[in-house]
């Protein structure tokens, strides 16, 4: 979820939303607009792109009105504003108008950093909207969605939803909302499976799970389905790596309760139980072979080979064979 500064009043004179996660940027805008309309139902909202905010435009939009109307001025991609317009915005930051809320959406990189620094120096309310690139971040996002919606979902259900939907936060948010609307009581893994089985079968984690379980044919089927539905090859190699590393970590760990192992290995207890079931048939040599296969596939899909699909198929078959090494 978006992170905010200590100044958490959505009606602060200036809000700057920083990052490249479109859903979070849109929510930052929606929060300000909703607060403004709650204060004044007739609030005028102007949503502008850089080419629409020419020199002098901001002064016109924020000039005093005979009717003292409340107004929200949203500027998207503020890092792309022209130099003259940036001067206008910086001048405004020093003396913001009453009843006006300015919302600047900024990608957060080096481009346009002077404007971002000026907004921060002026004490603008800041909402962080970083791109969520790690599975753990998306898992945390899903948990937060269910909490916000006032419903309970098991850790397994949250993970299953991330595995099924993938990296698109809008789709994850929509799926969580749909489940809350349709299902009574606690949302568990079985419920997610009923709603999103088709998508789960096409996910990168489905490929990894079937491979580390030694089910080569099913893993290959899931792989081809994933690729045909647009799953990025690099996400599949990442899932394969996570699956094999989890096997290696748990096989070399001391025995104990899932909760104890979870603390030791940095995995949730439910995942400990899943990996324990998957690791039957694995040997240390098998883990080493599988890790090498993942590394080769990763190089293949990142430009080191001519055929990323073949590189992935080869890795999946090698991992599945390694998973059966103890069984001969």
């Amino acid at each position: 979820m978006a992170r905010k500064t200590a100044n958490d009043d959505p009606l602060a004179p200036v809000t700057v939303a920083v990052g490249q996660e479109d859903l979070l940027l849109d929510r930052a805008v929606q929060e300000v607009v909703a607060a403004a309309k709650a204060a004044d139902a007739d609030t005028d909202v102007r949503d502008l792109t850089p080419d629409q905010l020419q020199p002098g435009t901001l002064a016109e939009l924020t000039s005093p009105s005979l009717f003292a109307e409340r107004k929200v001025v949203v500027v998207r991609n503020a890092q792309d504003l022209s130099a003259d317009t940036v001067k206008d915005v910086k001048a405004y930051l020093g003396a913001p108008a009453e009843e006006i809320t300015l919302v600047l959406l900024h990608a957060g990189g080096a481009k346009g950093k002077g404007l971002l620094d000026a907004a921060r120096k002026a004490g603008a309310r800041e909402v962080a909207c970083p791109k969520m690139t790690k599975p753990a971040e998306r898992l945390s996002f899903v948990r937060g969605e269910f909490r916000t919606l006032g419903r309970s979902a098991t850790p397994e259900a949250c993970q299953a939803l991330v595995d099924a939907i993938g990296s698109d936060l809008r789709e994850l948010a929509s799926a969580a909302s749909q489940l809350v609307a349709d299902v009574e009581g606690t949302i568990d893994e079985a419920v997610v499976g009923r709603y999103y089985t088709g998508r789960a079968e096409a996910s990168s984690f489905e490929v990894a799970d079937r491979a580390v379980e030694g089910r080569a044919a099913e893993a290959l089927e899931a792989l081809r389905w994933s690729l045909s539905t647009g799953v990025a090859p690099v996400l599949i190699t990442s899932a394969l790596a996570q699956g094999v590393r989890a096997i290696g970590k748990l096989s070399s760990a001391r025995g104990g309760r899932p909760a104890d192992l979870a603390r030791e290995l940095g995995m949730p207890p439910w995942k400990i139980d899943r990996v324990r079931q998957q690791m039957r048939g694995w040997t240390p040599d098998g883990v080493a072979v599988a890790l090498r296969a993942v590394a080769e596939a990763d190089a293949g899909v990142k430009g080191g080979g001519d055929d990323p699909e073949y590189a992935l198929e080869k890795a999946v078959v090698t991992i599945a064979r390694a998973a059966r090494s103890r069984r001969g």
Side-chain angles (χ1 to χ4, degrees):
M1 298 177 68
R3 299 187 299 274
K4 302 167 187 174
T5 55
N7 175 16
D8 197 20
D9 180 7
L11 292 182
V14 181
T15 286
V16 56
V18 185
Q20 299 179 42
E21 189 59 71
D22 289 341
L23 174 65
L24 300 184
L25 290 168
D26 285 346
R27 285 184 173 181
V29 172
Q30 291 164 7
E31 182 182 28
V32 172
V33 171
K37 286 187 175 293
D40 181 353
D42 295 324
T43 294
D44 181 19
V45 179
R46 303 295 181 90
D47 198 324
L48 307 171
T49 57
D51 62 301
Q52 294 173 313
L53 194 68
Q54 298 298 318
T57 303
L58 184 61
E60 294 177 10
L61 291 172
T62 58
S63 60
S65 166
L66 286 175
F67 304 102
E69 65 179 351
R70 182 177 290 277
K71 187 178 293 184
V72 175
V73 178
V74 180
V75 180
R76 296 184 182 272
N77 298 312
Q79 73 278 357
D80 295 331
L81 291 172
S82 69
D84 288 338
T85 303
V86 167
K87 289 180 183 178
D88 285 355
V89 177
K90 286 182 176 180
Y92 178 82
L93 293 173
E98 292 186 11
E99 301 298 309
I100 304 289
T101 299
L102 175 65
V103 184
L104 301 173
L105 307 188
H106 194 291
K111 187 178 183 181
K113 187 173 184 296
L115 176 58
L116 182 56
D117 290 342
R120 288 167 170 164
K121 186 176 181 180
R125 169 180 178 259
E126 184 170 342
V127 181
C129 306
K131 201 76 175 174
M132 296 189 182
T133 58
K134 299 178 180 178
E137 293 171 337
R138 294 191 286 272
L139 181 59
S140 178
F141 171 80
V142 169
R143 289 171 176 162
E145 287 295 292
F146 283 120
R147 282 196 300 270
T148 300
L149 293 167
R151 291 293 295 279
S152 175
T154 66
E156 296 88 346
C158 293
Q159 183 66 60
L161 196 60
V162 172
D163 291 351
I165 301 299
S167 60
D168 191 309
L169 290 200
R170 291 187 189 279
E171 292 195 23
L172 285 169
S174 176
S177 179
Q178 187 67 51
L179 287 168
V180 167
D182 291 355
V183 179
E184 297 290 337
T186 299
I187 296 166
D188 58 21
E189 188 176 15
V191 168
V192 174
R194 285 200 302 272
Y195 273 73
Y196 297 103
T197 295
R199 298 191 65 161
E201 289 172 357
S203 76
S204 55
F205 288 99
E206 180 74 11
V207 178
D209 283 342
R210 300 296 80 79
V212 299
E213 291 164 3
R215 296 153 66 177
E218 294 176 38
L220 287 171
E221 181 181 359
L223 171 64
R224 289 161 187 153
W225 193 325
S226 293
L227 294 172
S228 70
T229 56
V231 176
V234 68
L235 294 180
I236 298 174
T237 56
S238 176
L240 289 170
Q242 289 182 51
V244 175
R245 287 182 189 134
I247 297 289
K249 282 183 179 181
L250 191 56
S251 62
S252 61
R254 299 186 302 273
R257 297 177 305 167
D260 297 330
L261 288 170
R263 285 191 294 271
E264 180 183 343
L265 302 178
M267 298 181 192
W270 64 264
K271 189 169 183 179
I272 296 292
D273 291 334
R274 175 181 290 179
V275 176
R276 271 180 168 166
Q277 295 175 355
Q278 293 175 333
M279 64 186 287
R280 297 166 186 163
W282 281 90
T283 66
D285 287 344
V287 172
V289 167
L291 287 173
R292 284 197 296 272
V294 171
E296 291 174 2
D298 189 56
V301 303
K302 291 180 178 177
D306 297 327
D307 189 343
E309 183 172 341
Y310 172 74
L312 286 169
E313 288 182 354
K314 182 180 177 182
V316 164
V317 171
T318 300
I319 292 168
R321 287 175 178 169
R324 300 194 301 271
S325 55
R326 180 167 287 159
R327 301 171 219 172

